Amino acid sequence: MSTFIKSQVKNNLDTQESYKCNKCKDRTFILIDDEAVPCECRYLREVESILKHSGISMEFSKKTFDNFDYSRNAFAVNIYTLAKCYANSFKDIEKERCNSVLFMGQSGCGKTHLSLAIANTFMKNGIGVVYMNYREDMTYIKQNILDSEIYNKYLNRYKNARVLLIDDLFKGNITPSDINIIFEIINYRYFNNKPIIVSTEKYKSDLLKIDEAIGSRILEMCDKFNISVRGKGLNYRIYG
């Protein structure tokens, strides 16, 4: 075989290996009898895109129902059962007013893990989820509050996501700006029946005290699926 032919063969192999799917060459469709038909890889690419745009890190994408330890106490069983039930019921309740889930309780009881387990389950099923780390993202939004383009871009992302996960809602010092921003997001989702997954160290009375309009909307949206975890020795990071 000549050097030229060997080079061409190598180039062809390299080109093939550069595609995730050699069947459709990453177009996500193939032609059959001059008709475009979705390739079998299309669903996988859509799921990858959903994860990429979710804001969930690769480390957090590993949080699943399977690796949650619910054997440590009765509270862990209860919070796991609620999360699993919500995930299984979602397609039937998504368009309803009570279509959301709320995890309340002390740090380390599994709220974030199970919130992410729900989100990761949804995304594997092609349901888009956007992750909002309350403290970090709220800081960034407030830093850009005078730049209407960036400010509205971020708010619209959280307002219009098919499912919004708010992690550690109202963690730390709460300012009037925090309340105004969260109200705008929650109020929009409330009136448009857009689901939320919320984890917070606050309890029902705390949420209502911080802002009754926000608290009452969240509690109504999560009326069917909410749980409070409190008590000594429930922080699995310390006692697990």
Side-chain angles (χ1 to χ4, degrees), residues 189-222:
R189 298 190 68 84
Y190 173 82
F191 281 109
N192 288 278
N193 288 351
K194 288 183 170 291
I196 54 175
I197 302 168
V198 179
S199 77
T200 179
E201 293 179 9
K202 307 300 183 183
Y203 296 96
K204 290 182 180 181
S205 59
D206 300 319
L207 294 174
L208 292 170
K209 186 176 180 180
I210 290 167
D211 187 88
E212 188 171 353
I214 294 173
S216 61
R217 283 163 173 75
I218 291 175
L219 293 177
E220 183 177 352
M221 294 169 74
C222 304

Side-chain angles (χ1 to χ4, degrees), residues 12-161:
N12 287 338
L13 289 173
D14 289 343
T15 300
Q16 288 180 348
E17 290 175 357
S18 69
Y19 293 117
K20 290 183 178 179
C21 178
N22 291 325
K23 187 175 182 179
C24 69
K25 294 182 173 58
D26 292 346
R27 297 186 181 94
T28 70
F29 66 88
I30 55 177
L31 290 176
I32 300 179
D33 297 329
D34 294 326
E35 181 180 353
V37 178
C39 179
E40 59 191 22
C41 77
R42 184 180 180 87
Y43 175 74
L44 181 60
R45 298 289 87 78
E46 289 176 347
V47 171
E48 288 176 348
S49 178
I50 287 172
L51 177 59
K52 179 181 177 182
H53 294 95
S54 69
I56 293 175
S57 68
M58 289 307 297
E59 182 62 29
F60 274 9
S61 70
K62 298 174 185 176
K63 302 291 186 183
T64 67
F65 287 112
D66 290 338
N67 58 31
F68 180 78
D69 180 12
Y70 56 81
S71 65
R72 57 185 186 269
N73 54 57
F75 284 104
V77 173
N78 291 340
I79 193 172
Y80 172 88
T81 302
L82 178 89
K84 193 78 171 178
C85 183
Y86 174 74
N88 292 338
S89 304
F90 182 75
K91 288 187 176 179
D92 295 326
I93 66 171
E94 181 180 2
K95 302 301 181 182
E96 298 178 3
R97 171 56 55 81
C98 300
N99 57 7
S100 303
V101 62
L102 172 63
F103 299 102
M104 298 168 284
Q106 66 191 68
S107 176
C109 68
K111 304 185 305 296
T112 293
H113 186 131
L114 288 170
S115 295
L116 289 164
I118 294 170
N120 290 323
T121 299
F122 284 177
M123 290 188 291
K124 286 180 181 178
N125 291 317
I127 298 170
V129 179
V130 168
Y131 175 78
M132 179 182 185
N133 181 309
Y134 172 77
R135 293 194 71 173
E136 293 181 7
D137 292 345
M138 185 62 68
T139 298
Y140 184 81
I141 292 171
K142 289 191 292 184
Q143 287 173 344
N144 291 278
I145 202 164
L146 297 179
D147 187 325
S148 60
E149 184 176 350
I150 295 177
Y151 178 81
N152 289 321
K153 176 184 176 182
Y154 270 84
L155 251 63
N156 287 334
R157 182 170 186 254
Y158 299 132
K159 286 160 68 173
N160 293 307

